[in-house]
Amino acid sequence: MSNILLYNTLSRKKELFQAINPPYVGMYVCGPTVYGDAHLGHARPAITFDLLFRYLRYSGFKVRYVRNITDVGHLENDADAGEDKIEKKARLEQLEPMEIVQYYTNNYHLNMAQINVLSPSIEPRASAHIIEQIQLIEKIIHNGFAYAKNGSVYFDVEKYNKSHSYGKLSGRVIDDLQSNTRVLDGQEEKNSAQDFALWKKANPEHIMRWPSKWSDGFPGWHLECTAMSTKYLGDFFDIHGGGMDLLFPHHECEIAQSVAGTGKESVKYWIHNNMITINGQKMGKSLGNFITLNDLFSGNHKLLDQAYSPMTIRFFILQAQYRSTLDFSNEALKAAEKGLERLMKGLNLLSSLKISDISSIDVKALSDKCHEAMNDDINSPILIAHLFDGVRSINSIRDGKDTITATDLESLKTLFNLFITDILGLVTEEKTGQNNELTAKLVELLLNIRVEAKKNKDFISSDKIRDQLTLMGVIIKDTKEGFEWELMN
RNA sequence: GGUCUCUUGGCCGAGUGGUUAGGCAGCGGUCUGCAAAACCGCGUACGGCGGUUCGAAUCCGCCAGAGACCUCCA
């Protein structure tokens, strides 16, 4: 079916992807906690796994892609003393918690659509799966790996580690953890510092609460992913993805929960995307150095020289391999903007190429290279480099320096549409105002007068029209046939 | 402090033993009334010091610097 290599964090090497039940593939990716606008960092996993989703589907797999919305249980601080992120935001904004959840979920969906990220097959909410989480806690308690205390339930890491390996995903040793875990407030309930909460008893002022046999409370953060992934994908599924920062403790805890609950691990391939950095540091909420997607699209942020279109952001992220850090800078984004333009121009040129009896370019070889790049751990930058080689060939054919047959041209069109549009998910963006009929007519009227002036060698008038229009934000390109124009963003 | 990772030409970013990745910027050229745009051409870089090897950006060691995780984070 395919020979896709994927880097599995569990084994620390690239493995041949073999679906558990081909052609079906189950993929679970940790989605956002909806208590703020999505920032550039959130776009990385979304695009990374969107790319994988698209490529797996193209490769013949029927993928069920589950990406959750965390709307409860994600604590602000340590598991005992912390405050629920959603609740905190709700209190600050004087809103019902679910109002916050709805608002930021809507914004997330809008942003994802803007960067052309496909909707997952299922998008479960943690708050809608309390029963499943309670059932899982009961199983874990039944199997002896959790204990209740004062209405809360904690996972017994030490006991689990005696018969299983806690730390196998992140490469941690439990003894190191014990000696190095910082002393935090409110941990007195737990038997051991590294134990984590499965259920938390709610304080009286806590709004988000559900009844359970232990207390009126709410589930722990790590639990939701285990409960929801196995509910929709079964006890053993193919791919679990997320950001590298979730590796420990979140994903480590997921493994422990699933083994403690069902007796076996539930994930075959663990895949992690790396971070987006800014000035060499991770972009994140806690450091306050994040730039939201809305900021990027509007250009309205002190670190931004200009606005960047959603496709520029998408291309910027795709230009780096997902396991590398990617450093934000205006210079890098501008480079991405220009590069994307070049690529899309090449794609558009395909429809106007003249055909010949023979081809001087090798479309099949290009196609093979593109597939090889994607098969090698989804290496999008290599794929893009090959596509740029294709663009050079396309320009060269246009200039008459290379030739292409009708058959090869069809193949090349198919290839470009497949990789650029379907797999990389890059589409041409309409510029705002371009469709305003009156503006278009006025601009064209002026430019036609300018053509007349040029014919009459009245360069003073022609340059005046050009300079004035340029000042107004009309980009003019002179061509053999006359002119082309577009509005500045 | 512990665990792990990274350090590539002006910028971003691929590449794991021997062939020029690619993009942006820059320079040169074609085109143009002049420009702009577009297109074409041009860059032998791999933190430092040793070692292995016929040969290392790529393997090993040491040193320096940066980062991630260890607490919420995509």
Side-chain angles (χ1 to χ4, degrees):
Chain A
M1 186 171 254
S2 68
N3 51 339
I4 302 171
L5 291 173
L6 291 177
Y7 184 89
N8 191 345
T9 309
L10 209 49
S11 64
R12 314 257 155 182
K13 52 187 177 224
K14 289 181 193 171
E15 295 178 15
L16 183 64
F17 177 71
Q18 290 179 305
I20 296 165
N21 296 307
Y24 301 101
V25 169
M27 178 161 86
Y28 185 90
V29 174
C30 292
T33 302
V34 281
Y35 67 110
D37 280 348
H39 61 71
L40 190 55
H42 291 101
R44 188 112 197 244
I47 288 172
T48 297
F49 294 101
D50 184 56
L51 179 66
L52 181 57
F53 181 38
R54 288 165 180 265
Y55 194 62
L56 286 173
R57 292 205 309 186
Y58 161 71
S59 300
F61 294 105
K62 297 192 185 316
V63 187
R64 179 179 289 170
Y65 176 18
V66 180
R67 188 185 64 207
N68 70 297
I69 293 282
T70 297
D71 58 357
V72 68
H74 212 147
L75 298 181
E76 187 74 17
N77 210 310
D78 170 68
D80 284 50
E83 184 174 17
D84 190 299
K85 284 182 189 244
I86 309 290
E87 275 214 4
K88 181 181 182 185
K89 188 80 180 178
R91 205 188 61 235
L92 287 171
E93 299 194 1
Q94 297 283 303
L95 297 167
E96 183 69 22
M98 275 300 145
E99 209 173 345
I100 299 291
V101 165
Q102 191 64 54
Y103 178 84
Y104 289 114
T105 301
N106 289 347
N107 188 253
Y108 184 74
H109 287 157
L110 172 65
N111 286 160
M112 291 304 109
Q114 284 170 312
I115 57 176
N116 202 22
V117 164
L118 299 173
S119 295
S121 322
I122 301 174
E123 190 174 55
R125 285 184 179 191
S127 65
H129 296 78
I130 303 295
I131 291 168
E132 287 84 350
Q133 296 180 74
I134 288 174
Q135 286 169 343
L136 181 56
I137 295 172
E138 283 170 345
K139 277 192 205 166
I140 296 172
I141 291 177
H142 175 79
N143 292 338
F145 293 110
Y147 56 91
K149 209 170 217 179
N150 303 334
S152 293
V153 182
Y154 296 97
F155 190 94
D156 192 335
V157 171
E158 202 175 335
K159 180 164 183 199
Y160 173 83
N161 195 52
K162 280 182 183 149
S163 48
H164 303 86
S165 169
Y166 182 80
K168 63 180 295 186
L169 181 67
S170 56
R172 270 158 220 284
V173 182
I174 193 164
D175 296 335
D176 294 340
L177 288 175
Q178 280 175 318
S179 56
N180 288 300
T181 300
R182 284 194 228 163
V183 180
L184 293 162
D185 293 336
Q187 299 209 85
E188 58 278 354
E189 261 179 26
K190 295 197 255 179
N191 288 347
S192 182
Q194 71 271 24
D195 291 352
F196 55 89
L198 298 176
W199 186 265
K200 286 297 298 175
K201 181 181 178 178
N203 293 329
E205 65 273 19
H206 210 101
I207 308 165
M208 298 175 87
R209 57 170 67 213
W210 291 265
S212 77
K213 64 171 72 164
W214 309 288
S215 66
D216 274 15
F218 54 93
W221 172 43
H222 309 308
L223 198 67
E224 59 166 292
C225 287
T226 307
M228 293 188 288
S229 62
T230 51
K231 168 164 183 169
Y232 296 110
L233 300 174
D235 283 349
F236 188 52
F237 58 93
D238 299 283
I239 296 169
H240 192 310
M244 269 185 192
D245 51 348
L246 299 182
L247 226 155
F248 189 91
H250 186 53
H251 292 158
E252 199 69 65
C253 293
E254 278 191 55
I255 292 178
Q257 287 165 348
S258 119
V259 173
T262 69
K264 58 185 179 182
E265 288 184 30
S266 56
V267 177
K268 189 171 182 188
Y269 302 96
W270 282 95
I271 298 179
H272 292 94
N273 63 274
N274 213 322
M275 301 294 103
I276 287 183
T277 58
I278 179 162
N279 295 321
Q281 269 200 320
K282 173 183 164 181
M283 181 182 285
K285 287 266 190 212
S286 35
L287 285 166
N289 59 355
F290 61 93
I291 302 174
T292 69
L293 292 171
N294 292 331
D295 289 340
L296 285 157
F297 302 156
S298 69
N300 190 16
H301 190 286
K302 63 180 191 309
L303 292 173
L304 297 174
D305 292 352
Q306 60 168 82
Y308 299 97
S309 75
M311 278 305 118
T312 299
I313 301 303
R314 186 173 176 105
F315 187 69
F316 170 68
I317 287 173
L318 289 170
Q319 268 190 308
Q321 213 272 347
Y322 73 91
R323 285 191 293 114
S324 303
T325 55
L326 172 60
D327 201 48
F328 161 89
S329 69
N330 279 286
E331 217 176 348
L333 280 171
K334 283 175 196 166
E337 186 176 53
K338 286 286 185 64
L340 175 64
E341 205 178 316
R342 181 175 159 85
L343 187 64
M344 298 314 273
K345 272 181 182 155
L347 176 65
N348 291 333
L349 251 184
L350 277 169
S351 53
S352 60
L353 289 186
K354 292 195 175 74
I355 53 168
S356 305
D357 293 336
I358 53 160
S359 284
S360 60
I361 65 164
D362 193 342
V363 179
K364 176 68 167 55
L366 182 64
S367 171
D368 289 346
K369 284 182 190 169
C370 290
H371 285 90
E372 279 164 25
M374 284 301 287
N375 286 339
D376 185 14
D377 198 27
I378 314 300
N379 201 326
S380 52
I382 293 287
L383 168 63
I384 290 168
H386 291 318
L387 291 172
F388 274 118
D389 287 342
V391 169
R392 189 171 297 111
S393 295
I394 290 167
N395 288 331
S396 183
I397 293 165
R398 190 267 323 269
D399 292 346
K401 290 173 188 160
D402 272 302
T403 59
I404 192 163
T405 63
T407 317
D408 279 351
L409 182 57
E410 277 314 303
S411 305
L412 190 58
K413 280 182 188 171
T414 305
L415 182 71
F416 261 57
N417 276 311
L418 169 67
F419 280 101
I420 295 177
T421 310
D422 298 344
I423 293 175
L424 292 176
L426 299 168
V427 293
T428 305
E429 294 172 309
E430 285 290 326
K431 294 200 173 170
T432 49
Q434 207 82 345
N435 293 327
N436 185 321
E437 224 178 300
L438 180 65
T439 307
K441 281 182 180 168
L442 288 172
V443 169
E444 275 165 36
L445 173 66
L446 283 165
L447 288 176
N448 277 317
I449 293 170
R450 176 166 170 263
V451 169
E452 290 297 316
K454 278 167 66 178
K455 249 184 221 163
N456 300 329
K457 305 227 182 277
D458 177 9
F459 297 124
I460 292 169
S461 299
S462 72
D463 286 356
K464 187 175 178 186
I465 292 171
R466 179 177 69 191
D467 297 344
Q468 292 293 314
L469 282 176
T470 302
L471 277 176
M472 291 176 213
V474 181
I475 299 165
I476 298 159
K477 295 172 191 175
D478 287 350
T479 63
K480 281 249 165 29
E481 294 75 28
F483 57 82
E484 288 174 8
W485 66 276
E486 62 182 357
L487 294 179
M488 232 185 316
N489 278 327

